[in-house]
Amino acid sequence: YEKFELIKKNLAEVLTENELKEKIENGIKMKGYLGFEPSGLPHLGWIVWMNKVKDLIDAGVEFNLLEATWHAMINDKLGGNMELIRKAARLTRDVMKALNVQVDKINFVDAEKMARDKDYWALVIKVMKMTSLARMKRALTIMGRNMDEADLDTSKLIYPAMQVSDIIYMDLDIALGGLDQRKAHVLAREIAEKINAKKPIGLHTPILTGLDGGKRMETGEIDEQAASYKMSKSKPNTAIFVNDSEEDIKNKIMNAYCPPRQTEFNPILDINKYLLFPQNGFKLVIERPEKYGGTIIFEKYNELENEYANGKVHPLDLKTATANSLIEMLKPVRKLFEKDDIKEL
Ligand code: NAL
């Protein structure tokens, strides 16, 4: 069960664990997939799924990454400019490489190429035939939208059907995404079952809380709530971008929401759990004067969380150590941006 534990580590949800166990037990070579909108500069939230891609590749999953250019265009990213969107897709590849994701082992899938196949569009229409308008509208949360937005153009309604079709078309064992992608995965599972296609297992990462702690909805389904508090490019002061300067990282962390002893929806602890501690051999070093307890070194995230919950670690000390570690982690990415002409994204 080593493989199972590696795949499940740090996930919010597996749909379903039994299906995953069964594939592992039967020694099935699994095909996994994640799609992302190349929407500009990646921020810390993206690294949560990048780390999971690393785990899946280590677990022997054949990994496909969809550069969802059409989807980004439909979703009005980068002004709907395809040239810029393609540029952002290439940039993401470079960022992944700088963060030690095994890009050589990833099969990059081009959404535009898939859309040139007429079988793909036959599948999209089949998916739409099998889904009520009300349900398709509710699924707009997978694109960070909701059905009440009055000025949406009609192409937005095709997006969820495309995403579901992408998943079925690719014949996947695993569909990886943030918890906010749940509605697409649930729909893909239902439809795949009905049409005798392969039913994908949904692996859902937690959603990184925005630095302001997120404006959380109390009502609605978990995936809808996740969409409300997530770190997002459209709320720039809640996000740390991968190329932020050392100064910016420090300032943003120091101003972030981090109440003493609170371990839930604490973006600083989240950053430790999902970004810093998953690095090989990582240690969080909290330097303090002797009179405040002296320097402590954490090698396991759980120990940090316990000490924080007990009030043994002060928010300010946690923030200082987190900022320093994050600055270190993102160093190769900042280097990349020094030499490349990609700043207009
Ligand atoms: C994720 C997105 C777009 C297309 C996909 C196709 C298959 C699987 C996952 C996909 C992006 C996602 C987002 N909706 O907004 O992050």
Side-chain angles (χ1 to χ4, degrees):
Y1 284 112
E2 211 173 293
K3 242 185 208 182
F4 178 77
E5 292 304 327
L6 178 60
I7 292 176
K8 196 178 120 94
K9 184 184 81 181
N10 274 347
L11 288 177
E13 180 179 51
V14 179
L15 279 179
T16 64
E17 290 196 4
N18 281 340
E19 292 168 52
L20 179 60
K21 276 185 191 152
E22 204 171 304
K23 297 232 190 211
I24 294 173
E25 275 167 7
N26 293 333
I28 289 173
K29 172 87 189 161
M30 292 187 276
K31 188 172 172 187
Y33 193 47
L34 174 135
F36 72 94
E37 287 184 14
S39 56
L41 284 171
H43 58 67
L44 296 188
W46 298 39
I47 303 178
V48 177
W49 62 255
M50 289 178 189
N51 282 342
K52 189 39 69 182
V53 170
K54 279 188 200 172
D55 291 341
L56 293 181
I57 293 174
D58 285 342
V61 173
E62 175 202 317
F63 207 82
N64 298 277
L65 195 60
L66 173 72
E67 301 179 322
T69 49
W70 264 117
H71 311 66
M73 194 275 256
I74 290 174
N75 209 4
D76 304 324
K77 299 296 164 66
L78 295 169
N81 179 332
M82 270 298 206
E83 279 307 309
L84 282 182
I85 290 168
R86 287 192 200 110
K87 206 168 167 187
R90 280 196 304 276
L91 162 70
T92 304
R93 242 186 245 206
D94 293 339
V95 168
M96 289 174 79
K97 194 168 178 185
L99 290 170
N100 294 321
V101 182
Q102 313 89 317
V103 285
D104 301 339
K105 293 192 181 158
I106 295 176
N107 176 34
F108 288 89
V109 181
D110 176 357
E112 290 163 87
K113 188 168 164 212
M114 197 148 60
R116 270 180 233 124
D117 180 355
K118 53 186 180 342
D119 291 344
Y120 172 78
W121 291 105
L123 181 57
V124 172
I125 290 174
K126 199 169 186 175
V127 166
M128 293 177 95
K129 284 297 283 180
M130 295 174 75
T131 309
S132 73
L133 188 54
R135 188 160 181 196
M136 203 66 93
K137 282 182 174 172
R138 282 200 299 276
L140 290 177
T141 47
I142 66 169
M143 50 198 297
R145 306 261 179 191
N146 69 67
M147 55 183 167
D148 303 326
E149 286 180 59
D151 55 353
L152 293 182
D153 65 75
T154 320
S155 72
K156 305 286 189 294
L157 266 181
I158 303 181
Y159 181 123
M162 283 172 71
Q163 185 163 333
V164 167
S165 304
D166 296 333
I167 291 169
I168 296 173
Y169 181 90
M170 294 277 299
D171 193 37
L172 300 174
D173 300 283
I174 287 174
L176 171 66
L179 198 53
D180 58 340
Q181 302 302 307
R182 191 175 202 274
K183 285 190 170 45
H185 296 168
V186 170
L187 197 51
R189 285 165 57 79
E190 273 181 42
I191 293 178
E193 192 149 47
K194 284 187 193 145
I195 66 176
N196 285 320
K198 200 188 274 175
K199 185 175 174 184
I201 297 167
L203 300 185
H204 301 150
T205 70
I207 297 297
L208 196 65
T209 308
L211 295 176
D212 60 352
K215 301 281 168 285
R216 282 192 300 287
M217 303 194 314
E218 301 296 335
T219 55
E221 295 172 26
I222 47 170
D223 54 314
E224 294 162 359
Q225 293 182 18
S228 74
Y229 61 72
K230 74 178 191 177
M231 180 178 287
S232 139
K233 184 180 160 68
S234 55
K235 300 171 275 176
N237 54 340
T238 75
I240 291 176
F241 294 94
V242 291
N243 67 333
D244 274 353
S245 68
E246 298 190 18
E247 215 37 47
D248 283 346
I249 295 174
K250 251 182 218 149
N251 288 335
K252 287 180 182 182
I253 294 279
M254 289 307 166
N255 289 319
Y257 175 80
C258 184
R261 295 169 184 257
Q262 181 182 315
T263 58
E264 274 221 324
F265 299 113
N266 180 326
I268 305 303
L269 282 176
D270 281 358
I271 287 169
N272 277 283
K273 184 170 185 183
Y274 301 119
L275 307 182
L276 297 175
F277 278 86
Q279 300 175 98
N280 272 336
F282 177 78
K283 292 177 185 153
L284 188 74
V285 180
I286 297 189
E287 289 185 42
R288 298 184 299 199
E290 225 35 72
K291 63 174 172 176
Y292 295 121
T295 296
I296 349 172
I297 300 176
F298 291 101
E299 298 190 14
K300 291 205 175 77
Y301 173 74
N302 281 348
E303 292 165 6
L304 169 66
E305 191 182 284
N306 287 338
E307 293 295 277
Y308 193 76
N310 293 334
K312 300 267 172 54
V313 174
H314 188 275
L316 201 60
D317 292 328
L318 175 67
K319 284 180 169 183
T320 306
T322 303
N324 288 338
S325 299
L326 207 49
I327 286 170
E328 185 63 26
M329 183 185 92
L330 294 172
K331 204 178 199 169
V333 184
R334 287 195 300 279
K335 246 208 159 95
L336 178 76
F337 276 78
E338 276 168 21
K339 58 175 190 235
D340 264 329
D341 157 42
I342 40 189
K343 296 192 174 65
E344 76 264 35
L345 295 176

